[in-house]
Amino acid sequence: MTDVVLYDYWRSSASYRVRIALNLAGIAFDSVTVDLVKGEQRSAEHLARNPQGLVPALEIDGLLLTQSLAIIEYLDETRRLNLLPADPALRARVRALSHAIAIDIHPICNLSVAKHARDISGQDDAMERWMQHFIRPGMQAFETLLGGFEQSPYCCGETPGLADLCLMPQVYNARRWGVGIDDLPRVTAVEAACAAHPAFAAAFPDACKPS
């Protein structure tokens, strides 16, 4: 056992982001599964960790942290990961790129939201159509936003940054739900660079799926 515990779910986009950040920081951690499919996020035990009933939650440095972006920025600031540029203007642009996924696409494509859309529509394919409807234009916009940065292996430079941590879980979701993204050259180039990075590979959902 380590002193760092991540309460997560293998397919959670927010958990995926935090796993990447922990790996980039070289922080060993124990993973405790909160099964979203079984509804374990609504258990009294987990609600005591996070009253929102969401994952991830991270025990580290004597703290219990929630909200993936807040966790990542804590790790960035305390472990000097350099996930954000020093220049305030460029930092704002990188945050905007990251938020385009983490705040705009992800919340409406959360599994609980898509399930609700299916339930109220009464249509078996509603989840897939919902995901495709929102993910595709969001990814197209992200591709355009990437055009404002110089071509580089990662979204905004020669090393992984906050935008990459947000992008890769969304790429996973896009491919999971049959959303076409292969016509987005900047996105797919970053995808390839991240997939080859050990910190990203170790955080990949299929590598973290409970046996």
Side-chain angles (χ1 to χ4, degrees):
M1 294 288 289
T2 71
D3 293 331
V4 180
V5 180
L6 179 66
Y7 299 91
D8 75 343
Y9 182 65
W10 65 286
R11 265 186 169 161
S12 159
S13 295
S15 296
Y16 188 175
R17 293 177 205 135
V18 172
R19 291 196 301 265
I20 299 168
L22 288 167
N23 292 340
L24 286 171
I27 298 173
F29 62 95
D30 292 311
S31 178
V32 175
T33 296
V34 179
D35 195 320
L36 303 184
V37 176
K38 294 179 179 178
E40 292 178 356
Q41 72 275 19
R42 296 186 293 273
S43 68
E45 183 180 13
H46 188 66
L47 289 174
R49 298 183 199 109
N50 184 353
Q52 290 182 285
L54 301 173
V55 292
L58 180 69
E59 290 182 359
I60 189 170
D61 300 340
L63 303 170
L64 178 58
L65 304 176
T66 61
Q67 287 292 338
S68 64
L69 293 183
I71 293 171
I72 290 168
E73 291 209 26
Y74 174 82
L75 294 173
D76 187 35
E77 292 165 2
T78 59
R79 271 64 178 185
R80 299 182 181 181
L81 301 182
N82 297 315
L83 298 178
L84 287 163
D87 176 71
L90 186 55
R91 188 162 66 244
R93 291 177 60 208
V94 172
R95 277 200 175 105
L97 191 63
S98 306
H99 292 180
I101 288 178
I103 293 177
D104 292 332
I105 303 175
H106 176 220
I108 56 175
C109 293
N110 187 283
L111 189 62
S112 63
V113 174
K115 282 184 176 179
H116 184 63
R118 179 197 62 195
D119 293 344
I120 62 175
S121 71
Q123 299 175 358
D124 292 340
D125 66 343
M127 285 182 63
E128 183 176 8
R129 292 192 292 111
W130 179 276
M131 296 294 197
Q132 293 172 351
H133 177 80
F134 287 106
I135 294 175
R136 171 65 182 175
M139 295 297 281
Q140 288 175 309
F142 191 89
E143 174 79 12
T144 301
L145 289 169
L146 278 180
F149 295 85
E150 292 185 9
Q151 184 79 48
S152 58
Y154 300 98
C155 286
C156 310
E158 299 297 319
T159 58
L162 181 61
D164 303 285
L165 273 63
C166 293
L167 175 61
M168 284 303 281
Q170 195 56 64
V171 166
Y172 176 85
N173 285 339
R175 298 204 179 280
R176 177 187 176 191
W177 294 104
V179 177
I181 60 170
D182 288 340
D183 62 331
L184 307 179
R186 292 291 295 269
V187 166
T188 52
V190 172
E191 177 190 14
C194 290
H197 193 294
F200 286 79
F204 187 68
D206 291 357
C208 301
K209 182 178 180 179
S211 54

